[in-house]
Amino acid sequence: MLRPNRFVVALMIATIQLGAICSYADQALTRTFTNSLNGFRISLPSDWDRVPPGNLKAFDQSARDQHPDWKPPILQDAFLMTNAAGLAFPAYMAIRVSAKPSNREAILADLKAGIPPQGVQRGEPAFVDELNAYVIDYQLNLGVRAIDATIAYFPTEKSVIQMFFLFPSNQPGLAALVKDIIKHVRISDEIKAPAERPMRGGLIISLVAVAAIIIVLSRAKSAKAPGCPSAGCG
């Protein structure tokens, strides 16, 4: 089990319908979402959109149940692929912005803390110099679903911006697309942290609870009558 005070608020991104010759890695990132309050912007493909408010509330409540001492809302935003027909579940991306900054050493310690629960394989975190960010991959086998997850931590002068991606396993095009989205994250120059500047604090991670919610929501979606608009379906 993970140590009691270390949880990964996991969630993770958006889904794409996979065709026999479709390459998600080649998708243009034509939609830009700017978070002026926290000083960053992300670029996504045209068929990604914000998750419905009810889904975001469910993800946030799961994270609050795991870590009730964190100031709500725990998740600032979340996005999903809107054309997930044919996939086991839609891929998701969720964003958390910490209340205070943290240095590279503390982030690395958080990413490697604890023992992953049964069915969760954790890769080695890698620091990407050109992004000034840590990136780590997970594989989750929850019995009914096999899920891949990628998490990116962007330290800034004011916070740590955490981006969580969840998508069906064995989809190399989706995995490449996620890396491309991370590569195109832009942090405001006003809050960009120097690469080696020490800061305070630490943050953490736990993927299983939110992944389970995604599975429940995807089942509920598949049970709905046809004709539900893709961007508005849960």
Side-chain angles (χ1 to χ4, degrees), residues 209-230:
V210 176
I213 289 179
I214 288 175
I215 290 171
V216 171
L217 291 172
S218 66
R219 285 176 170 177
K221 181 177 179 179
S222 64
K224 287 183 179 179
C228 177
S230 59

Side-chain angles (χ1 to χ4, degrees), residues 23-177:
S23 175
Y24 298 116
D26 296 333
Q27 285 198 320
L29 306 181
T30 57
R31 299 196 69 187
T32 298
F33 297 85
T34 299
N35 187 316
S36 301
L37 179 63
N38 295 297
F40 68 91
R41 71 175 185 268
I42 58 172
S43 296
L44 302 172
S46 60
D47 56 355
W48 287 50
D49 207 347
R50 282 191 165 93
V51 303
N55 290 25
L56 181 60
K57 184 177 180 180
F59 298 156
D60 194 75
Q61 185 60 55
S62 175
R64 290 174 64 183
D65 291 344
Q66 294 181 54
H67 214 306
D69 56 313
W70 284 359
K71 181 180 179 181
I74 290 177
L75 303 177
Q76 274 70 33
D77 216 338
F79 299 85
L80 83 166
M81 235 5 189
T82 59
N83 66 341
L87 290 177
F89 65 91
Y92 284 82
M93 171 190 188
I95 299 171
R96 167 171 165 75
V97 181
S98 71
K100 57 185 178 181
S102 181
N103 61 25
R104 278 177 56 173
E105 291 74 18
I107 292 174
L108 180 60
D110 283 337
L111 290 172
K112 300 180 81 168
I115 300 173
Q118 184 176 2
V120 177
Q121 295 183 356
R122 178 174 62 195
E124 283 296 315
F127 190 81
V128 183
D129 289 310
E130 59 267 30
L131 297 177
N132 193 32
Y134 270 110
V135 179
I136 186 170
D137 295 322
Y138 287 79
Q139 291 183 326
L140 298 84
N141 189 340
L142 304 183
V144 295
R145 292 284 187 270
I147 298 173
D148 286 350
T150 296
I151 302 169
Y153 273 40
F154 294 85
T156 77
E157 292 278 10
K158 297 182 178 181
S159 65
V160 178
I161 300 168
Q162 304 166 56
M163 298 186 181
F164 304 91
F165 298 82
L166 276 182
F167 49 96
S169 293
N170 301 315
Q171 302 286 350
L174 276 177
L177 175 62

